[in-house]
Amino acid sequence: MTTTPQLVVHRDKELMAQAAAARLITRIVDAQASRGSASVVLTGGRNGNGLLAALAAAPARDAIDWGRLDLWWGDERFLPEGDPERNVTQAREALLDAVPLDPERVHAMPASDGPHGADADAAAAAYAEELARAAGPENHGPVPAFDVLMLGVGPDTHVASLFPELPAVRETERTVVGVHGAPKPPPTRVTLTLPAIRAAREVWLLAAGEDKAEAAAIALSGAGEIQAPAAGAYGRARTLWLLDAAAASQLPRALYPPASP
Ligand SMILES: O=C(O)[C@H](O)[C@@H](O)[C@H](O)[C@H](O)COP(=O)(O)O
């Protein structure tokens, strides 16, 4: 069951990051109040890390009970542990090292010098098993019901490491797969698949900057998910596009209310 995308457009990328961070704080606090914990999937890239940096600076940041938050990743660049290009390295720099998370609840994807060596497919299978272990009877399939799954949107409409026309975006069974020959470096990655993404309660797509305007217009115009993976990213309860005015510049005005003042 798809959920119709809801769009919120902010004046610029800084405001989009700050507003998205405030939205995430509220969502996590509500989940923790109602269920005792929260589960969030992070994304790499400038917009994803910009949101984390804004969250680190947010006055209400510590309304979150950091010890009761599970963090997962939508994808990872398959590089050695500590490589500055790894999404988890950048997330640690932007936020994670500044807050008292429970290390047992920070679920980084394997590195290329980890227990699976340079085998990205084995690393992907191991992460799929970790997700399945965390899934409960109330969840939809072998992944936990993520409260919020965030996805940066690439200029080619890729999300996570699901690139147009490549095998990973066509996966309908497995929840995590290895990616080889990705057009965005590095070429080898590990990624959640669309079935795993769609298990999330809410999917938030982050798109800021002129370079995302065409991708947003394509993904929101009814394009197919193989040609435009962002078009296939939706949550069970909510699909939310968070854009700035530049990224929304090619969208029909009827699709969204005026940008915030
Ligand atoms: O590993 C990655 O690079 C990301 O997970 C990728 O999916 C990213 O979110 C998009 O490419 C958008 O990146 P920007 O926000 O930097 O444009």
Side-chain angles (χ1 to χ4, degrees):
M1 184 267 283
T2 65
T3 43
T4 305
Q6 177 192 0
L7 279 65
V8 177
V9 178
H10 293 289
R11 182 187 62 218
D12 55 42
K13 70 176 184 301
E14 289 76 19
L15 187 56
M16 188 272 260
Q18 290 160 358
R23 183 185 296 271
L24 184 60
I25 290 171
T26 303
R27 193 73 194 77
I28 292 171
V29 168
D30 285 353
Q32 292 179 332
S34 61
R35 293 199 328 275
S37 67
S39 175
V40 169
V41 181
L42 303 182
T43 185
R46 292 162 298 173
N47 291 170
N49 290 322
L51 186 156
L52 296 183
L55 180 48
R61 180 187 92 179
D62 294 331
I64 293 172
D65 183 341
W66 295 101
R68 291 187 296 138
L69 175 63
D70 281 290
L71 292 180
W72 303 87
W73 270 263
D75 73 332
E76 187 55 275
R77 297 124 181 230
F78 198 56
L79 296 164
E81 185 64 41
D83 189 296
E85 283 305 303
R86 270 180 50 88
N87 290 334
V88 62
T89 307
Q90 295 178 2
R92 288 195 189 286
E93 286 165 7
L95 171 68
L96 309 194
D97 287 350
V99 291
L101 291 156
D102 175 352
E104 292 299 308
R105 302 183 78 156
V106 178
H107 309 273
M109 287 181 164
S112 64
D113 58 353
H116 312 287
D119 186 342
D121 300 322
Y127 201 72
E129 287 168 15
E130 186 173 356
L131 284 165
R133 287 196 298 275
E138 76 285 359
N139 294 144
H140 289 243
V143 295
F146 308 120
D147 292 290
V148 177
L149 185 149
M150 293 184 287
L151 295 166
V153 179
D156 61 357
T157 75
H158 78 261
V159 289
S161 289
L162 303 175
F163 294 91
E165 309 280 356
L166 290 191
V169 73
R170 303 173 190 274
E171 177 64 40
T172 58
E173 300 301 323
R174 290 175 291 171
T175 56
V176 191
V177 295
V179 174
H180 307 277
K184 177 178 181 181
T188 307
R189 293 162 166 260
V190 175
T191 187
L192 296 190
T193 59
L194 286 178
I197 288 168
R198 292 169 180 161
R201 290 185 176 86
E202 298 193 16
V203 169
W204 299 1
L205 294 105
L206 312 176
E210 192 66 44
D211 62 325
K212 306 301 174 71
E214 186 180 20
I218 290 167
L220 289 165
S221 64
E225 64 199 31
I226 304 300
Q227 293 75 25
Y234 45 82
R236 285 186 291 112
R238 190 185 199 191
T239 304
L240 178 64
W241 279 73
L242 297 170
L243 307 105
D244 70 350
S249 59
Q250 293 184 26
L251 294 177
R253 287 299 278 116
L255 261 184
Y256 63 94
S260 53

